[in-house]
Every structure is written in structure tokens, then in C-alpha cells.
Amino acid sequence: MEQRQDRFSPDPRYLVQVRHLKQYFPINTGFLKTTMLKAVDDVSFDIKKGETLGLVGESGCGKTTVGRTMLYLYKPTAGEIWFDGQKIVPGPALTQFRRRAQLVFQDPYSSLNPRMTVADIVAEPLDVHKLCAGKAEREARIRELMGLVGLNTEHATRYAHEFSGGQRQRIGIARALASNPEFIVCDEPVSALDVSIQAQVINMLEDLQSRLGLTYLFIAHDMSVVKHISQRIAVMYLGHMVELAPANELHHHPLHPYTTSLMSAVPIPDPRESRRQKRIVLEGDVPSPLKVPSGCPFRTRCSRAAKACAENAPEFREVSPGHYVACHLV
Ligand code: SF4
């Protein structure tokens, strides 16, 4: 992965390229005292066209902030976002990007306006980006989008609160698809749903991906969900990316102690294998992002931490083709 901030040239194999992304939020920590909360601190990665990159980590690790900053819902503190060979900066490039990149929200209950009908919710991006020439075209497109996500088109005039959680998430996905995007950030799209519904929504996302050629950043805290849908997986801890590798490689050969612990919690279907599985439980809590430890951010919970870990931050480097890790001992 290219590390220099200057002279970056985009690689046509990738739809999305993120370089040295930082997102800091000023937090009031006392009388006239402000501290920077480093939600995302120097994160770089690429996503290939048609690929799903899973982004996993505990709650508060910065993964949602990465997704939202990539979509320019928050202005980045520093760093670059490249999309289809073009650097995203405020102006015409950002307007175009906002049509071509969309977000599916985590909570299908709060993300849909209860006073709007399904038709109006789904058509919102059509109206914002002026994508339909007239009423008939708008209605036809609404029917098409509802059909794509398996919703009954006769329910277009109903309100969102009349639907179940799974159906509401389908409405959210139809809205995200309305502008014909190429890239979708799926921010924990199934974590608010019943387990029985989760598989249906994930299968639908996979089906839509192959039919429409979509590229996903799939954010989740549950490694088993991410492992199922992603070709590659990135792991975040306290605003930093600590490991990135093909899903299979990360599953069988996790290198970072934090990834090893996450992987040890993924259930194994085979009972004999499962009995052999050794669960690695991390000690202590995630430190406050306002007080990130010196050196390696994971060192306060790492059983292998050495003196060097407190002194220098490990570099995020490629240790085998396509496998990146930030740990002094690897
Ligand atoms: Fe643990 Fe040190 Fe590696 Fe950090 S750099 S993960 S503290 S061994």
C-alpha cells in the first residue's frame, strides 16, 4: 500500500483509495479546555471494484467514523479519499461522488422518517439529484427499486412504522440504490435485526452486489458476519487500522494479537473443531480515545507487549502479499 502523502497516483484496479485519513473531534473537557478526540488516526486502505471490504472492531474503535468521513458526511481533518481515479474535494467532484456513493444506516427504526411514505423515502435521492424526467418515470423507478429489494410495490403508500425491522432495512437499501450508486458503505446494516432476519438481508446484499456490480465497505462489530460477506477484512482498534488481509487468510492466520482474540470468539460449526477452539479473552477495557496509550495503542491489553511497544508506534506494513499488520513482534 502506497504510504507517501505527496505524489499519490491512483491505481485503476481500485474504485476507492483512502490515504492517511484522520478525523479528530474537539471535545470540551473542562473550563475553556478542549481535547482532540482522535476517532480515526492515519488510516489507509483500498477497495477493488466489485469487492466487499469488511471493517471490524469493537464499538467506539472509529469504524463508523471511517465510513462517514469517506462519504464526506464529516469533513476529514486530514488525508485523501480517491474515487474512480479522482480525488474527492468539495466542489463538482464531491457532488458527483454523493450520487455514486451511498450509505445504508445501522438502525432501520431511526433512519427512516415516520411521516414519509415508502415511496417518498425511496424517491428522496431521485428528487435530490433530479434523476427522473417526470412523475411517471419517478413512479416506475420507485416500483423497480422496491422490487429489487423484495418489497411489495402495493405498499408504496404506507408509512415506514407499519413495517418490521427487516422490511425497514429493505426500504433503507432501496433508498441507497435509488441514485444508481457504484459504492455503498453498509454501516452495521444487520446488527439491529433479529438473527433470523440478518441472513436474509445479507443474502440480499450479496445478490444485489452481483446483479448491480456494487462495491461495499461492510462495517460490523461481529466478525462472523463480516467473515461471511467480505473478500478482505480490515481490523480497527482505537482509531488505528491494526490488520488487513484476505478474509480466508485472516481467519486461518491472524497475526495481530487483537485480531487473534476477535477470531477466537467466532463460533465454529463443526463440534469437534469447536471443542479444540481456545477462546482468548482480552483483559481490561478499551482505553478512552481521549487518552490513547503511547506507542502501540493496543499495548495496555496485549499479553505480548514489550518495552518497545510503549516507545514506538508500530508501522502498518505489508508482511506477505496483501497481508498488512501493525505490530512490532510480527
Ligand atoms: Fe502487542 Fe506490542 Fe504488537 Fe502492540 S506492538 S500488538 S503491544 S506486541
Side-chain angles (χ1 to χ4, degrees), residues 15 92 100 148 164 167-168 184 193 210 245-246 260 267 293-294 315 317 328:
L15 182 65
R100 297 172 70 188
L148 261 179
S164 67
Q167 286 171 317
R168 285 183 205 211
I184 299 185
L193 305 177
S210 56
T260 310
S294 63
E315 191 192 334
R317 62 200 168 82
H328 289 308

Coordinates of all heavy atoms in Angstrom, one line a residue, residues 15 92 100 148 164 167-168 184 193 210 245-246 260 267 293-294 315 317 328:
L15 N -11.6 1.0 -6.9 CA -12.6 2.0 -7.0 C -12.4 3.1 -5.9 O -12.6 4.3 -6.2 CB -14.0 1.4 -6.8 CG -15.2 2.3 -7.0 CD1 -15.3 2.8 -8.4 CD2 -16.5 1.6 -6.6
P92 N -17.6 20.2 -7.7 CA -18.3 19.3 -8.6 C -17.9 17.8 -8.4 O -18.8 17.0 -8.5 CB -17.8 19.8 -10.0 CG -17.3 21.2 -9.8 CD -16.8 21.3 -8.4
R100 N -22.8 8.8 -6.6 CA -22.2 7.5 -6.9 C -21.9 6.7 -5.6 O -21.5 5.5 -5.8 CB -21.0 7.7 -7.7 CG -21.3 8.3 -9.1 CD -20.0 8.7 -9.9 NE -19.3 7.6 -10.3 CZ -18.1 7.6 -10.9 NH1 -17.5 8.8 -11.1 NH2 -17.5 6.5 -11.3
L148 N -36.6 -4.6 -6.5 CA -35.2 -5.0 -6.3 C -34.9 -5.6 -4.9 O -34.1 -6.5 -4.7 CB -34.2 -3.9 -6.6 CG -33.6 -3.7 -7.9 CD1 -32.7 -2.4 -8.0 CD2 -32.7 -4.9 -8.3
S164 N -41.9 -4.2 9.5 CA -41.0 -4.8 10.5 C -39.5 -4.3 10.3 O -39.3 -3.6 9.3 CB -41.0 -6.3 10.3 OG -40.4 -6.6 9.0
Q167 N -38.0 -5.4 7.0 CA -38.6 -4.6 5.8 C -38.1 -3.2 5.8 O -37.9 -2.6 4.8 CB -40.1 -4.7 5.9 CG -40.7 -6.1 5.6 CD -42.1 -6.2 5.8 OE1 -42.6 -5.7 6.9 NE2 -42.9 -6.8 4.9
R168 N -38.0 -2.6 7.0 CA -37.5 -1.2 7.1 C -36.1 -1.1 6.5 O -35.7 -0.2 5.8 CB -37.5 -0.7 8.5 CG -38.8 -0.4 9.0 CD -38.6 0.2 10.4 NE -39.8 0.0 11.2 CZ -40.3 0.7 12.1 NH1 -39.6 1.8 12.5 NH2 -41.4 0.5 12.8
I184 N -21.3 1.4 -1.9 CA -22.2 1.6 -0.7 C -21.4 1.3 0.6 O -20.8 0.3 0.7 CB -23.4 0.7 -0.8 CG1 -24.2 1.1 -2.1 CG2 -24.3 0.9 0.4 CD1 -25.5 0.4 -2.2
L193 N -31.1 -6.1 13.8 CA -32.1 -7.0 13.3 C -32.1 -8.4 14.1 O -31.0 -8.8 14.5 CB -32.0 -7.3 11.8 CG -32.0 -6.1 10.9 CD1 -31.8 -6.5 9.5 CD2 -33.3 -5.3 11.1
S210 N -23.9 -8.8 -6.9 CA -23.6 -9.4 -8.2 C -24.5 -8.9 -9.3 O -24.0 -8.8 -10.4 CB -23.6 -10.9 -8.0 OG -24.9 -11.3 -7.6
A245 N -6.3 -8.1 5.6 CA -5.8 -9.3 4.8 C -7.0 -9.9 4.1 O -8.2 -9.6 4.5 CB -5.2 -10.3 5.8
P246 N -6.8 -10.8 3.1 CA -7.9 -11.6 2.6 C -8.7 -12.3 3.7 O -8.0 -12.8 4.6 CB -7.2 -12.5 1.6 CG -6.0 -11.8 1.2 CD -5.5 -11.1 2.5
T260 N -6.3 -11.9 16.7 CA -6.3 -13.3 17.2 C -7.5 -13.5 18.2 O -8.2 -14.5 18.2 CB -5.0 -13.7 17.8 OG1 -4.0 -13.3 16.9 CG2 -4.8 -15.1 18.1
P267 N -17.8 -18.5 16.4 CA -18.2 -19.9 16.6 C -17.8 -20.8 15.4 O -17.9 -20.3 14.2 CB -19.7 -19.8 16.7 CG -20.1 -18.3 16.8 CD -18.9 -17.6 16.3
P293 N -3.0 5.2 24.5 CA -1.7 4.9 25.1 C -0.5 5.3 24.1 O -0.7 5.3 22.9 CB -1.7 3.3 25.3 CG -3.2 3.0 25.3 CD -3.9 4.0 24.4
S294 N 0.6 5.6 24.7 CA 1.8 5.9 23.8 C 2.2 4.6 23.1 O 1.9 3.5 23.5 CB 3.0 6.3 24.7 OG 3.3 5.3 25.6
E315 N 4.6 0.3 12.7 CA 4.2 0.7 11.4 C 3.2 -0.3 10.8 O 3.3 -1.5 11.0 CB 5.4 0.8 10.5 CG 5.2 1.5 9.2 CD 6.4 1.2 8.2 OE1 7.5 1.0 8.8 OE2 6.2 1.2 7.0
R317 N 2.4 -2.3 8.0 CA 3.2 -2.7 6.8 C 2.8 -4.0 6.3 O 2.2 -4.8 7.0 CB 4.7 -2.7 7.2 CG 5.0 -3.7 8.3 CD 6.3 -3.4 9.0 NE 6.4 -4.3 10.2 CZ 6.7 -5.5 10.1 NH1 7.1 -6.1 9.0 NH2 6.7 -6.3 11.2
H328 N 5.0 -4.8 16.4 CA 6.4 -4.9 16.4 C 6.9 -6.3 16.4 O 8.0 -6.6 15.9 CB 7.0 -4.2 17.7 CG 6.9 -2.8 17.7 ND1 7.4 -2.0 16.7 CD2 6.4 -1.9 18.7 CE1 7.1 -0.7 17.0 NE2 6.5 -0.6 18.2

